[in-house]
Amino acid sequence: MPVPAAHVLVFSLLLFSIGMLGVLTRRNAIIILMSIELMMNAANVNFIAFSLQLNNLLGQVFAVFTIAVAAGEVAVGLGVVLALFRNRDTIYVDEVHIMKG
Amino acid sequence: MTPSAVIFYVLASVALSSAVMVIWSRNPVHSAIYLVLTFLSVAGVYVLLQAEFVAAVQVLVYAGGIMVLFLFVIMLVNLKDAIGARVRLHATVSGTIGLAVVALILFVYSRGRIVSQVAGASVLRQGGNMQSLGEALYSDYLLPFEVASVLLLVAMIGAIVLARQKS
């Protein structure tokens, strides 16, 4: 471990919270998807750090699966954004309230 | 401080500052470029944490594939006022919720205790990182691996169905 594990955890916590702030405050659906990717990266950093700390390969295996799931999620999410833009002419999430009660 | 520690802190600060720029910049294309910078720095962190294969996958899948997807959609959507996507009105509420979650995670961290590094021969490095990871993926974790490939196929079909022009 080049640095104490706590420092890596704080790094991933900061990355996660930046992504969460992006999801909570931005209106553009594409930026929201990017912020979700930031949060997934933060989770991956934790997996990799504990994989090294515990000398266990499972963390790296899980990170590979997370990347695969993230790729699929982005593909579907951007398809949804395209369909949204085609049907409603906007990708701002606060202008899409068709399901609002 | 060892050189690798210095490299870690530099990469971490680059990743964090470009992550801030991702959610800060008004132009989605700039956000995408900053996102690439974040992904590359995180890949560097993976290399420092002895996960070379995951770092390579990160560069190939994220900085290569996902980023091209993002840029294509930004190009296709081409909003007239893409610049100037403001922060929502209730930004204070969202910011408070975000800070509360961060405080919660920090509280859990401070209560917990990080297990000390397990001693012994490194499992991660047997025959190089790639060989050990490949053996694990194709023996112990073969079923999740196949399920992941089916998931990717389903995502591909779903994306095509969603984005297809209705004729």
Side-chain angles (χ1 to χ4, degrees), chain B residues 8 18 26 28 38-40 46 63 95 105 135 138 146 153 159 167:
Chain B
F8 172 82
S18 48
R26 294 289 179 245
T38 311
F39 287 158
L40 291 180
Y46 289 166
I105 299 176
E135 279 171 0
Y138 283 101
E146 297 296 337
L153 178 68
S167 56

Side-chain angles (χ1 to χ4, degrees), chain B:
Chain B
M1 256 195 317
T2 58
S4 53
V6 175
I7 297 172
F8 172 82
Y9 291 123
V10 169
L11 284 175
S13 42
V14 169
L16 288 178
S17 46
S18 48
V20 168
M21 289 307 294
V22 169
I23 66 169
W24 194 260
S25 56
R26 294 289 179 245
N27 190 337
V29 178
H30 294 177
S31 290
I33 301 299
Y34 282 117
L35 195 60
V36 174
L37 196 55
T38 311
F39 287 158
L40 291 180
S41 326
V42 172
V45 171
Y46 289 166
V47 171
L48 282 180
L49 297 178
Q50 303 189 11
E52 289 87 0
F53 180 72
V54 183
V57 169
Q58 164 103 353
V59 171
L60 288 175
V61 174
Y62 271 114
I66 290 181
M67 200 43 56
V68 171
L69 222 60
F70 269 120
L71 287 174
F72 256 103
V73 171
I74 292 170
M75 183 191 76
L76 285 175
V77 167
N78 191 22
L79 273 187
K80 281 182 212 78
D81 60 345
I83 300 170
R86 299 184 316 277
V87 166
R88 277 189 243 159
L89 278 180
H90 50 272
T92 49
V93 181
S94 339
T96 314
I97 295 172
L99 285 181
V101 174
V102 170
L104 181 69
I105 299 176
L106 270 180
F107 175 70
V108 172
Y109 276 4
S110 65
R111 290 291 297 264
R113 180 183 61 84
I114 298 174
V115 289
S116 51
Q117 188 150 15
V118 174
S122 175
V123 179
L124 309 179
R125 304 235 64 83
Q126 276 167 10
N129 181 230
M130 228 154 167
Q131 186 187 337
S132 50
L133 195 56
E135 279 171 0
L137 269 181
Y138 283 101
S139 57
D140 294 346
Y141 306 106
L142 184 61
L143 181 65
F145 187 77
E146 297 296 337
V147 172
S149 64
V150 174
L151 176 84
L152 281 178
L153 178 68
V154 170
M156 191 170 74
I157 296 172
I160 293 172
V161 169
L162 275 172
R164 198 179 45 155
Q165 292 270 17
K166 303 279 188 300
S167 56

Side-chain angles (χ1 to χ4, degrees), chain A residues 7 26 37 41 44 53 55, chain B residues 9 23 39 58 115 121 123:
Chain A
H7 293 196
R26 290 302 298 256
E37 293 310 305
N41 256 286
N44 266 351
Q53 187 80 10
N55 196 17
Chain B
Y9 291 123
I23 66 169
F39 287 158
Q58 164 103 353
V115 289
V123 179

